[in-house]
Coordinates of all heavy atoms in Angstrom, one line a residue:
M1 N -55.6 -61.4 130.2 CA -56.3 -61.8 128.9 C -57.7 -61.2 129.0 O -58.3 -61.2 130.0 CB -56.4 -63.4 128.9 CG -56.9 -63.9 127.5 SD -56.9 -65.7 127.5 CE -58.6 -65.9 127.5
R2 N -58.2 -60.8 127.8 CA -59.4 -60.2 127.8 C -60.5 -61.2 127.8 O -60.5 -62.3 127.1 CB -59.6 -59.3 126.4 CG -60.7 -58.6 126.3 CD -60.7 -57.6 125.1 NE -60.5 -58.3 123.9 CZ -60.4 -57.6 122.7 NH1 -60.3 -56.4 122.7 NH2 -60.2 -58.4 121.5
T3 N -61.6 -61.0 128.5 CA -62.7 -61.8 128.7 C -64.1 -61.1 128.2 O -64.2 -59.9 128.7 CB -63.0 -62.4 130.0 OG1 -61.6 -62.9 130.4 CG2 -63.9 -63.6 130.1
W4 N -64.9 -61.7 127.5 CA -66.2 -60.9 127.1 C -67.2 -61.4 128.0 O -67.4 -62.5 128.3 CB -66.5 -61.3 125.7 CG -65.6 -60.7 124.6 CD1 -64.6 -61.3 123.9 CD2 -65.7 -59.5 124.1 NE1 -64.0 -60.5 123.1 CE2 -64.6 -59.3 123.1 CE3 -66.4 -58.3 124.3 CZ2 -64.3 -58.2 122.5 CZ3 -66.1 -57.1 123.6 CH2 -65.1 -57.1 122.8
H5 N -67.9 -60.3 128.5 CA -69.0 -60.6 129.5 C -70.3 -60.1 128.9 O -70.3 -59.0 128.4 CB -68.8 -59.9 130.8 CG -67.6 -60.2 131.5 ND1 -67.5 -61.2 132.5 CD2 -66.3 -59.8 131.4 CE1 -66.3 -61.3 133.0 NE2 -65.4 -60.5 132.2
T6 N -71.4 -60.9 128.8 CA -72.6 -60.6 128.4 C -73.4 -59.6 129.4 O -73.3 -60.0 130.5 CB -73.6 -61.8 128.1 OG1 -72.8 -62.6 127.2 CG2 -74.8 -61.3 127.6
L7 N -73.7 -58.5 128.9 CA -74.2 -57.4 129.8 C -75.8 -57.4 129.8 O -76.5 -57.5 130.9 CB -73.9 -56.1 129.4 CG -72.6 -55.5 129.6 CD1 -72.4 -54.2 129.3 CD2 -72.1 -55.7 131.1
C8 N -76.4 -57.3 128.6 CA -77.7 -57.1 128.5 C -78.1 -57.2 127.0 O -77.3 -57.4 126.2 CB -78.2 -55.8 129.0 SG -77.4 -54.4 128.2
R9 N -79.3 -57.0 126.6 CA -79.7 -56.9 125.1 C -79.5 -55.4 124.9 O -79.6 -54.4 125.7 CB -81.1 -57.3 124.9 CG -81.2 -58.9 125.2 CD -82.4 -59.5 124.5 NE -82.5 -59.3 123.1 CZ -81.8 -60.0 122.2 NH1 -81.0 -60.9 122.6 NH2 -81.9 -59.7 120.9
L10 N -79.3 -55.1 123.6 CA -79.1 -53.8 123.1 C -80.3 -52.9 123.4 O -80.2 -51.8 124.0 CB -78.9 -53.8 121.6 CG -78.7 -52.4 120.9 CD1 -77.4 -51.5 121.6 CD2 -78.6 -52.4 119.5
E11 N -81.5 -53.5 123.3 CA -82.7 -52.6 123.5 C -83.0 -52.4 125.0 O -83.7 -51.6 125.4 CB -84.0 -53.4 122.9 CG -84.2 -54.6 123.3 CD -83.7 -55.7 122.3 OE1 -82.7 -55.5 121.7 OE2 -84.3 -56.8 122.3
D12 N -82.2 -53.1 125.8 CA -82.2 -52.7 127.3 C -81.6 -51.5 127.6 O -81.7 -50.9 128.8 CB -81.6 -53.9 128.2 CG -82.4 -55.2 128.1 OD1 -83.6 -55.2 127.7 OD2 -81.9 -56.2 128.3
I13 N -80.8 -50.9 126.8 CA -80.1 -49.6 127.0 C -81.0 -48.6 126.3 O -81.2 -48.7 125.1 CB -78.6 -49.6 126.4 CG1 -77.9 -50.9 127.0 CG2 -78.0 -48.3 126.8 CD1 -76.6 -50.9 126.3
P14 N -81.4 -47.6 127.0 CA -82.3 -46.5 126.4 C -81.6 -45.7 125.3 O -80.4 -45.5 125.5 CB -82.7 -45.7 127.6 CG -82.0 -46.1 128.8 CD -81.3 -47.3 128.5
V15 N -82.2 -45.4 124.2 CA -81.6 -44.6 123.1 C -81.3 -43.3 123.8 O -82.1 -42.7 124.6 CB -82.5 -44.4 121.9 CG1 -82.0 -43.5 121.0 CG2 -82.8 -45.8 121.3
L16 N -80.1 -42.8 123.7 CA -79.6 -41.6 124.2 C -79.5 -41.6 125.7 O -79.6 -40.6 126.4 CB -80.4 -40.4 123.8 CG -80.5 -40.0 122.2 CD1 -81.3 -38.8 121.9 CD2 -79.1 -39.7 121.7
G17 N -79.4 -42.8 126.1 CA -79.3 -42.9 127.7 C -78.1 -44.0 127.9 O -77.2 -44.2 127.0
S18 N -78.1 -44.5 129.2 CA -77.1 -45.4 129.6 C -77.6 -46.4 130.6 O -78.7 -46.3 131.1 CB -75.9 -44.6 130.2 OG -76.4 -44.1 131.5
R19 N -76.7 -47.3 130.8 CA -77.0 -48.3 131.8 C -75.7 -48.4 132.6 O -74.6 -48.4 132.0 CB -77.3 -49.7 131.0 CG -77.7 -50.7 132.0 CD -78.1 -51.9 131.1 NE -78.4 -53.0 132.1 CZ -79.5 -53.7 132.2 NH1 -80.4 -53.6 131.2 NH2 -79.6 -54.6 133.1
V20 N -75.9 -48.6 133.9 CA -74.6 -48.6 134.7 C -74.3 -50.2 135.1 O -75.1 -50.9 135.5 CB -74.7 -47.8 135.9 CG1 -73.5 -47.9 136.9 CG2 -75.0 -46.3 135.6
V21 N -73.0 -50.6 134.8 CA -72.5 -51.8 135.3 C -71.7 -51.6 136.5 O -70.7 -50.9 136.7 CB -71.6 -52.5 134.2 CG1 -71.2 -53.9 134.7 CG2 -72.4 -52.5 133.0
K22 N -72.2 -52.2 137.7 CA -71.5 -52.0 139.0 C -70.3 -52.9 139.0 O -70.5 -54.2 138.6 CB -72.5 -52.3 140.1 CG -73.7 -51.5 140.2 CD -73.4 -50.3 141.1 CE -74.6 -49.4 141.2 NZ -74.2 -48.0 141.5
R23 N -69.2 -52.5 139.5 CA -68.1 -53.5 139.8 C -67.1 -52.9 140.7 O -67.1 -51.6 140.9 CB -67.4 -53.8 138.4 CG -66.7 -52.9 137.7 CD -65.9 -53.2 136.7 NE -65.0 -52.0 136.5 CZ -63.9 -52.0 136.1 NH1 -63.2 -53.0 135.8 NH2 -63.1 -50.8 136.1
A24 N -66.3 -53.7 141.3 CA -65.4 -53.3 142.5 C -64.5 -52.2 142.0 O -64.2 -51.2 142.8 CB -64.8 -54.4 143.0
G25 N -64.0 -52.3 140.8 CA -62.9 -51.4 140.3 C -63.6 -50.1 139.8 O -62.8 -49.2 139.3
G26 N -64.8 -49.8 140.1 CA -65.5 -48.5 139.6 C -66.5 -48.9 138.6 O -66.4 -49.7 137.8
D27 N -67.7 -48.2 138.6 CA -68.8 -48.5 137.9 C -68.5 -48.1 136.4 O -67.7 -47.2 136.1 CB -69.9 -47.7 138.3 CG -70.5 -48.0 139.6 OD1 -70.0 -49.1 140.1 OD2 -71.4 -47.4 140.2
I28 N -69.2 -48.9 135.5 CA -68.9 -48.6 134.1 C -70.3 -48.0 133.6 O -71.3 -48.8 133.8 CB -68.5 -49.9 133.4 CG1 -67.1 -50.4 133.9 CG2 -68.4 -49.7 131.9 CD1 -66.7 -51.7 133.3
A29 N -70.3 -47.0 132.8 CA -71.4 -46.5 132.1 C -71.5 -47.0 130.6 O -70.5 -46.8 129.9 CB -71.5 -45.0 132.2
V30 N -72.6 -47.6 130.3 CA -72.7 -48.1 128.9 C -73.7 -47.3 128.2 O -74.9 -47.2 128.6 CB -73.2 -49.7 128.9 CG1 -73.3 -50.1 127.4 CG2 -72.1 -50.5 129.6
F31 N -73.3 -46.6 127.2 CA -74.2 -45.6 126.5 C -74.6 -46.1 125.1 O -73.9 -46.8 124.5 CB -73.4 -44.4 126.2 CG -72.8 -43.5 127.4 CD1 -71.5 -43.9 127.8 CD2 -73.5 -42.7 128.1 CE1 -71.2 -43.4 129.0 CE2 -73.1 -42.1 129.3 CZ -71.8 -42.3 129.6
R32 N -75.8 -45.6 124.7 CA -76.4 -45.9 123.4 C -76.7 -44.7 122.7 O -77.5 -43.9 123.3 CB -77.5 -46.9 123.4 CG -78.2 -47.2 122.2 CD -79.4 -48.2 122.5 NE -80.3 -48.4 121.3 CZ -81.4 -49.1 121.4 NH1 -81.9 -49.5 122.5 NH2 -82.1 -49.3 120.3
N33 N -76.3 -44.5 121.6 CA -76.8 -43.0 120.8 C -77.9 -43.4 119.9 O -78.4 -44.5 119.8 CB -75.5 -42.4 120.3 CG -75.0 -43.0 119.2 OD1 -75.5 -44.0 118.6 ND2 -73.8 -42.6 118.6
D34 N -78.3 -42.3 119.2 CA -79.4 -42.4 118.3 C -79.1 -43.3 117.0 O -79.9 -43.5 116.2 CB -80.0 -41.1 118.1 CG -79.1 -40.0 117.5 OD1 -78.0 -40.5 117.3 OD2 -79.5 -39.0 117.1
Q35 N -77.8 -43.5 116.9 CA -77.4 -44.5 115.7 C -77.3 -45.9 116.2 O -76.7 -46.7 115.5 CB -76.1 -43.9 115.1 CG -76.1 -42.5 114.7 CD -77.1 -42.2 113.5 OE1 -77.0 -42.9 112.5 NE2 -78.0 -41.3 113.8
D36 N -77.7 -46.2 117.4 CA -77.5 -47.6 117.9 C -76.1 -47.9 118.1 O -75.7 -49.1 118.2 CB -78.2 -48.6 117.1 CG -79.7 -48.7 117.5 OD1 -80.1 -48.1 118.5 OD2 -80.5 -49.3 116.7
E37 N -75.2 -46.9 118.2 CA -73.8 -47.2 118.6 C -73.8 -47.3 120.1 O -74.5 -46.5 120.7 CB -72.8 -46.0 118.1 CG -72.8 -46.0 116.6 CD -72.0 -44.7 116.2 OE1 -72.4 -43.6 116.6 OE2 -71.0 -44.9 115.5
I38 N -72.9 -48.1 120.6 CA -72.7 -48.3 122.0 C -71.3 -48.0 122.4 O -70.4 -48.2 121.6 CB -73.2 -49.6 122.4 CG1 -72.4 -50.8 121.7 CG2 -74.6 -49.8 122.4 CD1 -72.7 -52.1 122.4
F39 N -71.1 -47.5 123.6 CA -69.9 -47.2 124.2 C -69.8 -47.3 125.7 O -70.8 -47.3 126.4 CB -69.6 -45.6 124.0 CG -69.8 -45.2 122.6 CD1 -71.1 -44.7 122.2 CD2 -68.8 -45.1 121.6 CE1 -71.3 -44.2 121.0 CE2 -68.9 -44.6 120.5 CZ -70.2 -44.2 120.0
A40 N -68.7 -47.8 126.2 CA -68.5 -48.0 127.6 C -67.4 -47.2 128.1 O -66.2 -47.2 127.5 CB -68.4 -49.4 127.8
L41 N -67.6 -46.4 129.2 CA -66.6 -45.6 129.9 C -66.7 -45.8 131.4 O -67.8 -46.1 132.0 CB -66.9 -44.1 129.5 CG -66.7 -43.6 128.1 CD1 -67.1 -42.0 128.1 CD2 -65.4 -43.8 127.7
H42 N -65.6 -45.6 132.1 CA -65.6 -45.5 133.5 C -66.7 -44.3 133.9 O -66.6 -43.4 133.3 CB -64.2 -45.2 133.9 CG -64.1 -45.2 135.4 ND1 -62.9 -44.8 136.0 CD2 -65.0 -45.8 136.4 CE1 -63.0 -45.1 137.3 NE2 -64.1 -45.6 137.6
D43 N -67.5 -44.8 134.9 CA -68.6 -43.7 135.2 C -68.1 -42.6 136.0 O -68.7 -42.4 137.1 CB -69.8 -44.5 135.8 CG -71.1 -43.6 135.7 OD1 -71.0 -42.5 135.1 OD2 -72.0 -44.1 136.6
K44 N -67.1 -42.0 135.5 CA -66.4 -40.9 136.3 C -65.9 -39.9 135.4 O -65.0 -40.2 134.7 CB -65.3 -41.6 137.2 CG -65.1 -40.9 138.5 CD -64.2 -41.8 139.4 CE -63.8 -40.9 140.5 NZ -63.3 -41.3 141.5
C45 N -66.3 -38.6 135.6 CA -65.9 -37.6 134.7 C -64.4 -37.3 135.1 O -64.1 -37.3 136.2 CB -66.7 -36.4 134.9 SG -66.3 -34.9 134.0
P46 N -63.5 -37.0 134.0 CA -62.1 -36.7 134.4 C -62.0 -35.3 135.0 O -61.0 -35.0 135.5 CB -61.5 -36.7 133.0 CG -62.6 -36.5 131.9 CD -63.8 -37.1 132.6
H47 N -63.0 -34.6 135.1 CA -62.9 -33.2 135.8 C -63.0 -33.5 137.3 O -62.0 -33.5 137.9 CB -64.1 -32.3 135.4 CG -64.1 -31.0 135.9 ND1 -65.2 -30.3 136.3 CD2 -63.0 -30.3 136.4 CE1 -64.9 -29.1 136.9 NE2 -63.6 -29.0 137.0
K48 N -64.1 -33.7 137.8 CA -64.3 -33.9 139.3 C -65.1 -35.1 139.6 O -65.7 -35.1 140.7 CB -64.9 -32.7 140.0 CG -63.8 -31.5 139.8 CD -64.4 -30.4 140.7 CE -63.3 -29.2 140.7 NZ -63.8 -28.0 141.5
G49 N -65.1 -36.1 138.7 CA -65.6 -37.4 139.0 C -67.3 -37.5 138.9 O -67.8 -38.4 139.5
G50 N -67.8 -36.6 138.2 CA -69.2 -36.6 138.0 C -69.7 -37.9 137.4 O -69.0 -38.5 136.6
P51 N -71.0 -38.2 137.6 CA -71.5 -39.5 137.0 C -71.9 -39.4 135.5 O -72.9 -38.8 135.3 CB -72.7 -39.8 137.8 CG -73.2 -38.4 138.3 CD -71.9 -37.6 138.4
L52 N -71.0 -39.9 134.6 CA -71.2 -39.6 133.2 C -72.6 -40.1 132.7 O -73.2 -39.8 131.8 CB -70.0 -40.0 132.4 CG -68.8 -39.3 132.6 CD1 -67.7 -39.9 131.8 CD2 -69.0 -37.9 132.2
S53 N -72.8 -41.4 133.5 CA -74.1 -42.1 133.1 C -75.3 -41.3 133.2 O -76.4 -41.5 132.5 CB -74.3 -43.3 134.0 OG -74.3 -42.9 135.3
Q54 N -75.3 -40.1 134.0 CA -76.5 -39.2 134.1 C -76.3 -38.0 133.1 O -77.1 -37.0 133.2 CB -76.5 -38.8 135.5 CG -77.0 -39.9 136.4 CD -76.9 -39.7 137.9 OE1 -77.3 -38.4 138.2 NE2 -76.5 -40.6 138.8
G55 N -75.4 -38.1 132.2 CA -75.1 -36.9 131.3 C -76.2 -37.1 130.1 O -76.9 -37.9 130.0
I56 N -76.0 -36.1 129.2 CA -76.8 -36.1 128.0 C -76.0 -36.5 126.9 O -74.8 -36.0 126.6 CB -77.3 -34.6 127.8 CG1 -78.2 -34.3 129.0 CG2 -78.1 -34.5 126.4 CD1 -78.6 -32.8 129.0
V57 N -76.5 -37.5 126.1 CA -75.9 -38.0 125.0 C -76.2 -37.4 123.8 O -77.4 -37.2 123.5 CB -76.2 -39.6 124.9 CG1 -75.5 -40.2 123.5 CG2 -75.6 -40.3 126.1
F58 N -75.2 -37.0 122.9 CA -75.5 -36.4 121.6 C -74.5 -36.8 120.7 O -73.3 -36.5 120.9 CB -75.5 -34.7 121.8 CG -75.7 -34.1 120.5 CD1 -77.0 -34.0 120.0 CD2 -74.7 -33.7 119.8 CE1 -77.3 -33.3 118.7 CE2 -75.0 -33.0 118.5 CZ -76.2 -32.9 118.1
G59 N -74.8 -37.6 119.6 CA -73.8 -38.0 118.7 C -72.9 -38.9 119.4 O -73.4 -39.9 120.2
Q60 N -71.6 -38.7 119.4 CA -70.6 -39.5 120.0 C -70.1 -38.7 121.2 O -68.9 -38.9 121.6 CB -69.5 -40.0 119.2 CG -69.9 -40.8 118.0 CD -68.7 -41.5 117.4 OE1 -67.7 -41.3 117.4 NE2 -69.2 -42.7 116.7
T61 N -70.9 -38.0 121.9 CA -70.5 -37.1 123.0 C -71.4 -37.3 124.2 O -72.6 -37.4 124.0 CB -70.4 -35.6 122.6 OG1 -69.6 -35.6 121.5 CG2 -69.8 -34.7 123.7
V62 N -70.8 -37.2 125.4 CA -71.8 -37.2 126.6 C -71.4 -35.9 127.3 O -70.1 -35.5 127.4 CB -71.7 -38.4 127.5 CG1 -70.4 -38.6 128.0 CG2 -72.8 -38.2 128.6
T63 N -72.4 -35.0 127.7 CA -72.2 -33.9 128.4 C -72.3 -34.2 130.0 O -73.4 -34.7 130.4 CB -73.1 -32.8 128.1 OG1 -73.0 -32.6 126.7 CG2 -72.8 -31.5 128.9
C64 N -71.3 -34.0 130.8 CA -71.3 -34.3 132.2 C -72.5 -33.5 132.9 O -72.5 -32.3 132.8 CB -69.9 -34.0 132.8 SG -69.9 -34.4 134.6
P65 N -73.1 -34.1 133.8 CA -74.3 -33.4 134.5 C -73.8 -32.4 135.4 O -74.5 -31.5 135.9 CB -75.0 -34.5 135.2 CG -74.1 -35.6 135.4 CD -73.2 -35.5 134.1
L66 N -72.5 -32.4 135.8 CA -72.1 -31.5 136.9 C -71.6 -30.1 136.4 O -72.1 -29.1 136.7 CB -71.1 -32.1 137.8 CG -71.3 -33.4 138.6 CD1 -70.4 -33.6 139.7 CD2 -72.7 -33.1 139.3
H67 N -70.7 -30.1 135.5 CA -70.1 -28.8 134.9 C -70.0 -28.8 133.5 O -69.3 -27.9 133.0 CB -68.8 -28.6 135.6 CG -68.7 -28.8 137.2 ND1 -68.1 -30.1 137.5 CD2 -68.9 -28.1 138.2 CE1 -68.2 -30.0 138.9 NE2 -68.6 -28.9 139.3
S68 N -70.8 -29.7 132.8 CA -70.9 -29.7 131.4 C -69.7 -29.9 130.5 O -69.6 -29.5 129.4 CB -71.7 -28.4 131.0 OG -72.9 -28.2 131.6
W69 N -68.7 -30.5 131.1 CA -67.7 -30.9 130.1 C -68.3 -31.9 129.2 O -69.2 -32.7 129.5 CB -66.5 -31.6 130.9 CG -65.6 -30.7 131.7 CD1 -65.7 -29.5 132.2 CD2 -64.2 -31.0 132.0 NE1 -64.5 -29.0 132.7 CE2 -63.6 -30.0 132.6 CE3 -63.4 -32.1 131.7 CZ2 -62.3 -29.9 133.1 CZ3 -62.1 -32.2 132.1 CH2 -61.5 -31.0 132.8
Q70 N -67.6 -31.9 127.9 CA -68.1 -32.7 127.0 C -67.0 -33.9 126.8 O -65.9 -33.6 126.6 CB -68.3 -32.1 125.7 CG -69.4 -31.1 125.7 CD -70.1 -30.8 124.5 OE1 -69.3 -30.5 123.6 NE2 -71.3 -30.5 124.4
I71 N -67.5 -35.0 126.8 CA -66.5 -36.2 126.8 C -66.8 -37.1 125.5 O -68.0 -37.4 125.2 CB -66.6 -37.1 128.0 CG1 -66.7 -36.4 129.3 CG2 -65.6 -38.2 128.0 CD1 -65.4 -35.6 129.6
N72 N -65.9 -37.4 124.8 CA -66.0 -38.2 123.6 C -66.2 -39.6 124.0 O -65.5 -40.3 124.7 CB -64.6 -38.1 122.7 CG -64.8 -38.9 121.4 OD1 -64.9 -40.1 121.4 ND2 -64.9 -38.2 120.2
L73 N -67.3 -40.2 123.5 CA -67.8 -41.5 124.0 C -66.7 -42.5 123.4 O -66.6 -43.7 124.1 CB -69.0 -41.7 123.5 CG -70.2 -40.9 124.3 CD1 -71.5 -41.2 123.7 CD2 -70.4 -41.6 125.8
A74 N -66.2 -42.4 122.3 CA -65.4 -43.4 121.6 C -63.9 -43.5 122.3 O -63.4 -44.5 122.4 CB -65.2 -43.1 120.2
S75 N -63.4 -42.2 122.8 CA -62.0 -42.2 123.2 C -62.0 -42.1 124.8 O -61.0 -42.3 125.4 CB -61.3 -41.1 122.6 OG -61.9 -39.8 122.9
G76 N -63.0 -41.4 125.3 CA -63.0 -41.1 126.7 C -62.4 -39.8 126.9 O -62.3 -39.4 128.1
E77 N -62.0 -39.0 125.9 CA -61.3 -37.8 126.1 C -62.2 -36.6 126.2 O -63.2 -36.6 125.5 CB -60.1 -37.6 125.0 CG -59.1 -38.6 125.1 CD -57.9 -38.3 124.3 OE1 -57.7 -37.1 124.0 OE2 -57.2 -39.2 123.9
A78 N -61.9 -35.6 127.1 CA -62.6 -34.4 127.1 C -62.4 -33.6 125.8 O -61.3 -33.6 125.3 CB -62.2 -33.6 128.4
L79 N -63.5 -32.9 125.4 CA -63.2 -32.1 124.3 C -62.7 -30.7 124.7 O -63.0 -30.2 125.8 CB -64.7 -31.9 123.5 CG -65.4 -33.1 123.1 CD1 -66.5 -32.7 122.2 CD2 -64.5 -34.1 122.4
A80 N -61.8 -30.2 123.7 CA -61.3 -28.8 124.1 C -62.4 -27.8 124.2 O -63.4 -27.9 123.8 CB -60.4 -28.5 122.8
P81 N -62.1 -26.8 125.2 CA -60.9 -26.5 125.8 C -60.4 -27.3 127.0 O -59.4 -27.0 127.6 CB -61.1 -24.9 126.1 CG -62.5 -25.0 126.5 CD -63.2 -25.9 125.6
D82 N -61.3 -28.2 127.4 CA -61.1 -29.1 128.6 C -60.0 -30.1 128.3 O -59.9 -30.6 127.2 CB -62.4 -29.6 129.2 CG -63.3 -28.5 129.5 OD1 -62.8 -27.6 130.1 OD2 -64.4 -28.7 129.1
H83 N -59.2 -30.6 129.3 CA -58.3 -31.7 129.1 C -58.6 -32.7 130.2 O -58.8 -32.5 131.3 CB -56.9 -31.1 129.3 CG -56.5 -30.2 128.3 ND1 -56.1 -30.5 127.1 CD2 -56.5 -28.8 128.3 CE1 -55.8 -29.3 126.4 NE2 -56.1 -28.4 127.1
G84 N -58.5 -33.9 129.8 CA -58.7 -35.2 130.7 C -59.2 -36.4 129.9 O -59.6 -36.2 128.9
C85 N -59.1 -37.5 130.6 CA -59.5 -38.6 129.8 C -60.0 -39.7 130.9 O -59.5 -39.7 132.1 CB -58.3 -39.3 129.2 SG -58.8 -40.6 128.1
T86 N -61.1 -40.3 130.6 CA -61.6 -41.4 131.4 C -61.4 -42.7 130.7 O -61.3 -42.7 129.4 CB -63.0 -41.2 131.9 OG1 -63.4 -42.0 132.9 CG2 -64.0 -41.4 130.6
T87 N -61.4 -43.8 131.5 CA -61.0 -45.1 130.8 C -62.1 -45.5 129.9 O -63.4 -45.4 130.3 CB -60.9 -46.2 131.9 OG1 -60.0 -45.6 132.8 CG2 -60.4 -47.5 131.2
R88 N -61.9 -46.1 128.7 CA -62.9 -46.7 128.0 C -62.7 -48.2 127.9 O -61.6 -48.7 128.1 CB -62.9 -46.0 126.5 CG -61.5 -46.3 125.8 CD -61.6 -45.9 124.3 NE -62.3 -46.8 123.5 CZ -61.5 -47.8 122.9 NH1 -60.3 -48.1 123.1 NH2 -62.2 -48.7 122.2
F89 N -63.9 -48.9 127.6 CA -63.9 -50.3 127.5 C -64.4 -50.8 126.2 O -65.2 -50.0 125.7 CB -64.8 -50.9 128.7 CG -64.3 -50.5 130.1 CD1 -64.6 -49.3 130.7 CD2 -63.4 -51.2 130.8 CE1 -64.2 -48.9 131.9 CE2 -62.9 -50.9 132.0 CZ -63.3 -49.8 132.6
E90 N -63.9 -51.8 125.8 CA -64.4 -52.4 124.5 C -65.8 -53.1 124.6 O -65.9 -53.8 125.6 CB -63.4 -53.4 123.9 CG -62.4 -52.7 123.0 CD -61.6 -53.7 122.2 OE1 -62.1 -54.2 121.3 OE2 -60.4 -53.8 122.7
L91 N -66.5 -52.9 123.6 CA -67.9 -53.5 123.6 C -68.1 -54.1 122.2 O -67.6 -53.7 121.2 CB -68.9 -52.5 123.9 CG -69.3 -51.8 125.2 CD1 -70.2 -50.7 124.8 CD2 -69.8 -52.7 126.1
K92 N -69.1 -55.1 122.1 CA -69.5 -55.5 120.8 C -70.9 -56.0 121.0 O -71.4 -56.3 122.1 CB -68.6 -56.5 120.3 CG -68.5 -57.8 121.0 CD -67.6 -58.8 120.4 CE -67.6 -60.1 121.2 NZ -66.7 -61.0 120.6
V93 N -71.6 -56.1 119.9 CA -73.0 -56.6 119.9 C -73.0 -57.9 119.1 O -72.6 -57.8 118.0 CB -74.0 -55.6 119.4 CG1 -75.5 -56.2 119.3 CG2 -74.1 -54.2 120.1
E94 N -73.5 -59.0 119.7 CA -73.6 -60.1 118.9 C -75.0 -60.8 119.2 O -75.5 -60.9 120.3 CB -72.6 -61.2 119.5 CG -71.3 -61.2 118.7 CD -70.3 -62.1 119.2 OE1 -70.6 -63.0 120.0 OE2 -69.2 -62.0 118.9
N95 N -75.8 -60.9 118.1 CA -77.2 -61.5 118.2 C -78.0 -60.6 119.1 O -78.8 -61.2 119.8 CB -77.1 -63.0 118.7 CG -76.3 -63.9 117.7 OD1 -76.4 -63.6 116.5 ND2 -75.6 -64.8 118.3
G96 N -77.8 -59.3 119.1 CA -78.6 -58.4 119.9 C -78.2 -58.3 121.4 O -78.7 -57.6 122.1
E97 N -77.0 -59.0 121.7 CA -76.6 -59.1 123.0 C -75.3 -58.2 123.1 O -74.5 -58.2 122.3 CB -76.1 -60.4 123.5 CG -77.1 -61.6 123.5 CD -77.8 -61.6 124.7 OE1 -77.5 -60.9 125.8 OE2 -78.9 -62.5 124.9
V98 N -75.2 -57.4 124.1 CA -74.1 -56.4 124.3 C -73.1 -57.1 125.2 O -73.4 -57.7 126.3 CB -74.6 -55.3 125.1 CG1 -73.3 -54.3 125.2 CG2 -75.6 -54.5 124.3
L99 N -72.0 -57.3 124.7 CA -70.7 -58.0 125.4 C -69.7 -56.9 125.7 O -69.3 -56.0 125.0 CB -70.1 -59.0 124.5 CG -71.1 -60.1 124.2 CD1 -71.2 -60.3 122.7 CD2 -70.8 -61.3 125.0
L100 N -69.2 -57.0 126.9 CA -68.3 -56.0 127.4 C -67.0 -56.9 127.7 O -67.0 -57.8 128.3 CB -68.7 -55.3 128.6 CG -67.7 -54.4 129.4 CD1 -67.6 -53.1 128.6 CD2 -68.3 -54.1 130.8
A101 N -65.8 -56.2 127.2 CA -64.5 -56.8 127.5 C -63.8 -56.3 128.7 O -63.8 -55.1 128.9 CB -63.5 -56.5 126.2
L102 N -63.5 -57.2 129.6 CA -63.0 -56.8 130.8 C -61.5 -57.6 131.1 O -61.5 -58.7 130.6 CB -63.9 -57.0 132.0 CG -65.0 -56.1 132.2 CD1 -65.9 -56.5 133.3 CD2 -64.6 -54.6 132.3
Ligands
FES1 S1 -67.3 -33.4 137.2 FE1 -67.8 -33.5 135.1 S2 -67.6 -31.5 134.3 FE2 -67.1 -31.4 136.4

């Protein structure tokens, strides 16, 4: 069953940046773009495991810091010509609080 966990306030995530949620099953990167949309992905690039949380956010895309693959923040899928997918997690904002479904 899905449980919602309160992470932080929306403004605690830097615009065009991210915040990392540490957990045993692998860290989760929570991104915020310049439209105040938020996304959560496993903090591991589908190419060679680079830390997506340290990538550059643009629109609904993050560019991996290691070899510049572009990953769609909404789906976790690599943009063509690359192939691969990282796990995405559901998020919502309620009363300014970011909640993550695990
Ligand atoms: S590890 Fe992300 S592009 Fe290579």
Side-chain angles (χ1 to χ4, degrees):
M1 193 180 108
R2 182 167 70 179
T3 311
W4 291 99
H5 299 268
T6 303
L7 287 186
C8 59
R9 296 197 57 79
L10 178 62
E11 58 263 30
D12 294 336
I13 306 169
V15 175
L16 297 180
S18 69
R19 185 172 177 136
V20 176
V21 179
K22 300 265 177 205
R23 67 170 196 144
D27 294 351
I28 298 173
V30 181
F31 300 91
R32 176 181 175 190
N33 70 10
D34 58 359
Q35 303 297 308
D36 277 345
E37 294 176 302
I38 53 170
F39 308 90
L41 296 177
H42 188 190
D43 192 14
K44 203 166 172 169
C45 177
H47 180 216
K48 292 190 174 173
L52 294 176
S53 58
Q54 292 173 36
I56 295 172
V57 174
F58 179 78
Q60 292 198 343
T61 304
V62 60
T63 302
C64 179
L66 292 196
H67 315 96
S68 302
W69 277 30
Q70 296 197 322
I71 312 297
N72 182 295
L73 288 167
S75 67
E77 293 195 24
L79 303 192
D82 301 313
H83 295 282
C85 189
T86 193
T87 309
R88 60 176 276 276
F89 299 87
E90 270 190 72
L91 287 173
K92 65 181 177 181
V93 178
E94 273 181 12
N95 302 321
E97 303 269 355
V98 178
L99 297 126
L100 174 70
L102 289 176

